[in-house]
Amino acid sequence: MLLSLAGWLQGLSPEFGFFRVFQYLTFRAVMAAMTALLIGLFAGPWVIRYLASLKIGQPIREYAMQTHLAKSGTPTMGGVLILISIAISTLLWFDWSNRFVWIVMIVTLGFGAIGWVDDWRKVVNKDPEGMRSREKYLWQSVIGLVAALYLVFSISESNNLRVLQLFVSWVQSGFDVNLPPKAGLMVPFFKEISYPLGVFGFVIMTYLVIVGSSNAVNLTDGLDGLAIMPVVMVGSALGVFAYVTGSAVYSKYLFFPHIPGAGELLIFCAAMAGAGLAFLWFNTHPAQVFMGDVGALALGGALGTIAVIVRQEIVLAIMGGIFVVEALSVMLQVTYFKYTKKKYGEGRRILKMAPLHHHFEKSGWKETQVVVRFWIITMLLCLVGLSTLKLR
């Protein structure tokens, strides 16, 4: 919005020539981060008081860590603060004609709505199950598949008209059309190597990345500040990939696929980083507010969607290794428990408690130790991911 306003003012008089700075993507990214940060810091106390007045307190399950019982009643659903900060800041600073930012916004807010309903049922309606798993995955799948169907053609073409034309061609060809190499699965650390997926392969992979990353972040969100800082770091790193992918010069130099318009995602990533840091101000131990599913599901979905657009699905798995391991720990724990219960009549566990961060707590680590050490690991993994920019 401000980009259009700056362009209009420039056209009125040469005196407004200094507004040309708004055309620089890096300037708008910095301002988006600062805007989201300030919105979060100033609105945070009011949001926390409002959530507390609604008695939206986090329920602590009986089988949870004993040290977590003191957190019972802490306001949850604080993810709305993150989403509000991201939405306002992004709308102010990005180019409204950019189709990629809109699809990321739709996915983020869509997953946020799912999380909101889930949290509301848990803490307001006092339903411990919240949204049933089947219902939750159904709505996640709907959003994920719609986004995947759009992205498979949007990444291949430069504007929405050509996207529509490619979709029509795909239908007329009997659902068999060759996609350009940039729509293939990019392999990090290798130059110009991508595996063709085809339309259906791309849609399935995108669906798994978006829905999988959403649930992985949600499973990680179990300790004060544990999920939000890795989201900030991974999101910021993806912003660098977006900037490179959207630049015809840098993408050619670094052997990355050039995707026109992808660079504008840097604005969203910057806003997400600013909003995340503002939330961390209130979420650091001892937390004044919890993110809830409304924030975790939305942020995970956003990371997955951005990674697909910039063609860095594998790099996302590397940089978000903490999210991946947390999700795998739950899957392995549940699978092994069910297997041993069926075979031996008694369920057995691999870990002391899942997700993984609770296993370390059970092993004697303090909550703050787990959180900071997971942050350090994520920082290292993000550096490994960023090294793929040049090590190819």
Side-chain angles (χ1 to χ4, degrees):
M1 183 174 71
L2 293 179
L3 178 63
S4 299
L5 179 60
W8 176 72
L9 289 174
Q10 281 183 258
L12 288 180
S13 172
E15 296 179 358
F16 295 111
F18 62 89
F19 280 109
R20 283 194 300 271
V21 70
F22 282 75
Q23 297 175 4
Y24 291 96
L25 185 58
T26 49
F27 170 77
R28 289 187 286 119
V30 171
M31 296 307 296
M34 291 178 61
T35 302
L37 178 63
L38 292 175
I39 291 173
L41 290 176
F42 282 105
W46 180 85
V47 171
I48 294 172
R49 287 195 300 269
Y50 182 71
L51 292 174
S53 69
L54 294 177
K55 301 187 185 303
I56 300 180
Q58 176 68 38
I60 305 298
R61 295 180 175 88
E62 295 180 359
Y63 56 82
M65 296 286 299
Q66 292 297 312
T67 54
H68 291 190
L69 297 179
K71 300 181 180 183
S72 181
T74 302
T76 186
M77 299 177 70
V80 296
L81 175 63
I82 303 174
L83 297 185
I84 290 172
S85 301
I86 291 175
I88 294 176
S89 180
T90 302
L91 288 172
L92 283 175
W93 294 106
F94 94 106
D95 180 359
W96 281 26
S97 65
N98 187 279
R99 64 193 192 281
F100 290 128
V101 178
W102 282 117
I103 191 64
V104 173
M105 287 275 285
I106 291 171
V107 171
T108 303
L109 297 179
F111 276 84
I114 296 171
W116 171 275
V117 174
D118 189 26
D119 286 334
W120 188 268
R121 291 181 183 178
K122 288 178 182 176
V123 299
V124 177
N125 296 342
K126 306 302 180 184
D127 182 354
E129 295 297 326
M131 183 181 287
R132 300 304 185 267
S133 296
R134 290 184 179 180
E135 183 183 1
K136 183 187 295 186
Y137 289 135
L138 170 64
W139 288 112
Q140 286 180 319
S141 298
V142 169
I143 297 173
L145 288 173
V146 170
L149 282 170
Y150 176 75
L151 290 176
V152 65
F153 301 112
S154 182
I155 288 172
S156 303
E157 296 294 349
S158 57
N159 57 63
N160 284 330
L161 177 59
R162 298 192 64 175
V163 167
L164 180 60
Q165 292 173 345
L166 181 58
F167 175 76
V168 173
S169 299
W170 176 61
V171 174
Q172 292 176 342
S173 65
F175 306 105
D176 183 21
V177 64
N178 292 325
L179 297 176
K182 63 183 177 181
L185 179 63
M186 306 299 297
V187 181
F189 299 109
F190 293 93
K191 293 179 181 179
E192 300 180 316
I193 293 183
S194 66
Y195 289 97
L197 299 171
V199 174
F200 290 109
F202 184 99
V203 169
I204 293 172
M205 182 198 66
T206 300
Y207 163 78
L208 292 175
V209 171
I210 294 176
V211 176
S213 60
S214 175
N215 287 294
V217 173
N218 192 35
L219 289 171
T220 306
D221 183 36
L223 301 178
D224 298 349
L226 178 59
I228 190 60
M229 194 60 188
V231 166
V232 169
M233 289 188 280
V234 175
S236 299
L238 285 175
V240 176
F241 283 101
Y243 185 72
V244 170
T245 305
S247 168
V249 176
Y250 292 132
S251 61
K252 182 179 180 180
Y253 173 70
L254 295 171
F255 295 96
F256 272 70
H258 174 49
I259 302 175
E264 202 70 20
L265 288 171
L266 178 61
I267 305 299
F268 184 94
C269 292
M272 182 164 55
L277 290 175
F279 180 76
L280 182 62
W281 183 273
F282 306 103
N283 186 236
T284 189
H285 185 75
Q288 297 174 254
V289 65
F290 297 138
M291 187 189 306
D293 287 7
V294 61
L297 291 178
L299 294 175
L303 292 178
T305 308
I306 295 169
V308 169
I309 295 173
V310 301
R311 315 306 306 123
Q312 298 300 321
E313 298 90 348
I314 296 178
V315 172
L316 172 64
I318 295 173
M319 298 191 300
I322 289 297
F323 302 137
V324 175
V325 172
E326 290 272 38
L328 288 177
S329 70
V330 174
M331 294 168 63
L332 290 173
Q333 184 88 323
V334 172
T335 301
Y336 187 71
F337 184 86
K338 290 182 178 180
Y339 169 75
T340 53
K341 186 174 184 179
K342 182 178 180 179
K343 185 174 183 178
Y344 303 109
E346 179 183 4
R348 300 176 184 177
R349 294 173 173 82
I350 301 175
L351 303 172
K352 294 180 179 180
M353 189 174 181
L356 186 62
H357 55 262
H358 290 318
H359 169 79
F360 287 114
E361 280 194 291
K362 287 279 189 179
S363 300
W365 290 19
K366 294 182 180 180
E367 179 174 351
T368 51
Q369 288 179 310
V370 178
V371 171
V372 174
R373 287 169 180 173
F374 276 35
W375 287 0
I376 294 172
I377 293 171
T378 301
M379 186 181 301
L380 292 174
L381 293 175
C382 284
L383 291 175
V384 173
L386 288 172
S387 71
T388 64
L389 287 166
K390 189 61 178 175
L391 298 179
R392 298 173 64 82

